[in-house]
Amino acid sequence: MGAALLFFILMRNQVARSHQTAVNITSVVVLIALYHYLRIFNSWSDAFTFVDGSYIQKGAPFNEGYRYVDWLLTVPLLLAELVIVLKLAKSTTRSLITKLSIAAIAMILLGYPGELSAADSSTRTIFGILSTLPFLYLLFVLFVELGKSLDRQSDQVRKIVNGLRFMILIIWGVYPLAYIAPSVISDEATAEVVRQVGYSLADILAKPLFGLFILAIALIKTQDEAGSLPETASA
Amino acid sequence: MGAALLFFILMRNQVARSHQTAVNITSVVVLIALYHYLRIFNSWSDAFTFVDGSYIQKGAPFNEGYRYVDWLLTVPLLLAELVIVLKLAKSTTRSLITKLSIAAIAMILLGYPGELSAADSSTRTIFGILSTLPFLYLLFVLFVELGKSLDRQSDQVRKIVNGLRFMILIIWGVYPLAYIAPSVISDEATAEVVRQVGYSLADILAKPLFGLFILAIALIKTQDEAGSLPETASA
């Protein structure tokens, strides 16, 4: 996340000023993630101690809440950067961002009570299903409503947006898999590791990789508008 | 706060140089808040320990003073950025900032003795009321005195300033609610959590969100003056 943050800040002036906002939001997203991963690291270190050849859980519980606070901030921002970089009409931009943000926030808030409950509890299953509903709505907005606004984009941009939408469909599908890990893997320690590795991998793909594609769109648009390399368009 | 700081710094060069001061003050405000929230985090961690399945208060008391020092610095700056971004006549700017700063400082200084006193003490109530008086004067300056200077602003800017004044009225109303939490909620731990969550939420709305509106005014003014995108108006 820190490496991505540096890269996005350094690459910013290759993008025309009118397209920098989306890249700036990408930087903000990976900074937020960087902070929370440092907190997650510390919380994990505090939760487990090495005793007699293996790690055991000490007093303080590992705080999974950091991930949810992170997502609550970063997921709406990720969706906003996708809409903003396309430079649609102001009213379309506002309406898409509002719908996507509400769906994202509902999805994350509904996931949290399930995350906190026991591995084999029905609460976990019910909130898992409930949080899938806003996710489906979010996909509908991305594939149907956003789809209507793609006519004016260049072929290259349209291809990347298509790729990004399928990325959201597939990568965001890793989160539910990590979520159900404690329910399907009987060994508690293995389940916890699978869950954390799953969430972390998905975060790397959904934030820095997603941001690289947003940067690519901003660079293509800069080039298309300048008719050349953006040597003169930035400071 | 850190995310907002990065965003305001990165967005600065989208604003014409003549309007950057207000955005720079916004960056300063969220940096000050970032610092104090890290101190608050540490003070909170030091004050509570996880023992036998729940958090208990250890020796060191949680230091609520960080919030008041933060406010003493950031509240006058927040009000100053609102006045500065409007680019009023110099004498009006100076007079408004002086009045608003004095009212803000009086409000915060009078709140602190009440914050330190017991939940059901009359000291708490008296200082709560005393600190409301400068707040009312502050609202008078914002709605009446500042109102007189809004004629020259564009419709778009006037709308945002209106929104900001009501934001101050409503969001700053959360602080008194958090302040009286210990007096109206009997369970001490719950009251403390409500108070901290209330203050923190209000701070997020009053600093980064407030700053986003200031940035919006600066961007609109930049665009109005350039008659186009600010490609050439800044470095």
Side-chain angles (χ1 to χ4, degrees), chain A residues 5 10 22 52 90-91 98 119 129 136 147-148 155 180 196 228:
Chain A
L5 173 62
L10 292 178
D52 295 337
K90 268 196 180 177
S91 59
T98 309
I129 293 166
L136 295 176
K148 287 179 201 151
D155 273 359
I180 61 167
Q196 297 307 325
S228 69

Side-chain angles (χ1 to χ4, degrees), chain A residues 119-120 180-192 194:
Chain A
D120 55 351
I180 61 167
S183 308
V184 293
I185 299 170
S186 57
D187 180 57
E188 211 182 315
T190 309
E192 185 61 29
V194 167

Side-chain angles (χ1 to χ4, degrees), chain B residues 2 9 18 20 30 32 50 98 101 103-104 106 119 128 134 139 143 156-157 176-177 185-186 208 210 215:
Chain B
I9 292 176
S18 51
Q20 284 183 356
V30 290
I32 295 173
F50 192 78
T98 308
S101 298
L139 289 177
F143 280 84
Q156 256 188 306
V157 170
L177 291 180
I185 299 170
S186 58
F210 190 88
L215 176 65

Side-chain angles (χ1 to χ4, degrees), chain B residues 15 129 149 154 160 171 228:
Chain B
V15 173
I129 293 165
S149 311
S154 73
I160 300 182
I171 295 172
S228 70

Side-chain angles (χ1 to χ4, degrees), chain A residues 12 17 20 24 39 59 233, chain B residues 10-11 14 41 50 231 235:
Chain A
R12 190 173 69 115
R17 231 171 233 143
Q20 283 183 356
N24 291 346
R39 288 276 178 231
Chain B
L10 291 177
M11 288 301 284
Q14 308 237 2
F41 183 98
F50 192 78
E231 216 69 46

Side-chain angles (χ1 to χ4, degrees), chain A residues 5 9 12 16-21 24-25 27-28 31-32 35 39 59-61 66 87 90 233 235, chain B residues 2-4 6-7 9-14 38 41-42 50 55 156 223 229-235:
Chain A
L5 173 62
I9 291 176
R12 190 173 69 115
R17 231 171 233 143
S18 50
H19 298 299
Q20 283 183 356
T21 304
N24 291 346
I25 297 177
S27 299
V28 167
L31 173 70
I32 295 173
Y35 170 78
R39 288 276 178 231
Y66 288 123
K87 291 252 157 197
K90 268 196 180 177
Chain B
L6 177 65
F7 187 69
I9 292 176
L10 291 177
M11 288 301 284
R12 191 175 70 113
N13 73 344
Q14 308 237 2
L38 291 175
F41 183 98
N42 289 341
F50 192 78
Y55 284 92
Q156 256 188 306
Q223 240 167 321
L229 281 166
E231 216 69 46
T232 56
S234 56

Side-chain angles (χ1 to χ4, degrees), chain A residues 39-217:
Chain A
R39 288 276 178 231
I40 288 170
F41 183 98
N42 288 341
S43 178
W44 186 266
S45 298
D46 288 348
F48 301 98
T49 323
F50 194 74
V51 177
D52 295 337
S54 65
Y55 283 95
I56 58 148
Q57 188 148 16
K58 267 199 319 200
F62 172 63
N63 188 355
E64 194 73 309
Y66 288 123
R67 290 197 185 278
Y68 281 79
V69 172
D70 177 90
W71 293 335
L72 215 49
L73 297 166
T74 56
V75 176
L77 289 174
L78 282 168
L79 294 164
E81 75 192 43
L82 172 59
V83 175
I84 287 170
V85 82
L86 296 176
K87 291 252 157 197
L88 309 170
K90 268 196 180 177
S91 59
T92 317
T93 301
R94 198 174 307 153
S95 134
L96 284 173
I97 290 181
T98 309
K99 287 175 188 172
L100 291 170
S101 298
I102 292 174
I105 290 169
M107 174 176 83
I108 294 156
L109 287 182
L110 287 169
Y112 194 53
E115 189 76 77
L116 290 182
S117 55
D120 55 351
S121 68
S122 59
T123 319
R124 198 174 178 87
T125 314
I126 290 166
F127 278 100
I129 293 166
L130 282 178
S131 103
T132 306
L133 301 178
F135 177 53
L136 295 176
Y137 173 69
L138 195 152
L139 290 176
F140 166 78
V141 174
L142 280 180
F143 280 84
V144 180
E145 298 206 13
L146 180 70
K148 287 179 201 151
S149 310
L150 290 182
D151 308 342
R152 280 184 161 189
Q153 306 292 325
S154 72
D155 273 359
Q156 257 189 305
V157 170
R158 226 178 1 233
K159 258 185 216 162
I160 300 181
V161 173
N162 243 329
L164 280 174
R165 294 192 296 188
F166 280 102
M167 231 172 101
I168 289 178
L169 181 63
I170 293 164
I171 296 173
W172 290 20
V174 176
Y175 293 101
L177 291 180
Y179 178 89
I180 61 167
S183 308
V184 293
I185 299 170
S186 57
D187 180 57
E188 211 182 315
T190 309
E192 185 61 29
V193 169
V194 167
R195 183 159 64 132
Q196 297 307 325
V197 170
Y199 281 153
S200 304
L201 270 181
D203 272 354
I204 291 168
L205 300 172
K207 282 161 185 159
L209 186 65
F210 189 88
L212 281 179
F213 283 99
I214 298 291
L215 176 64
I217 295 176

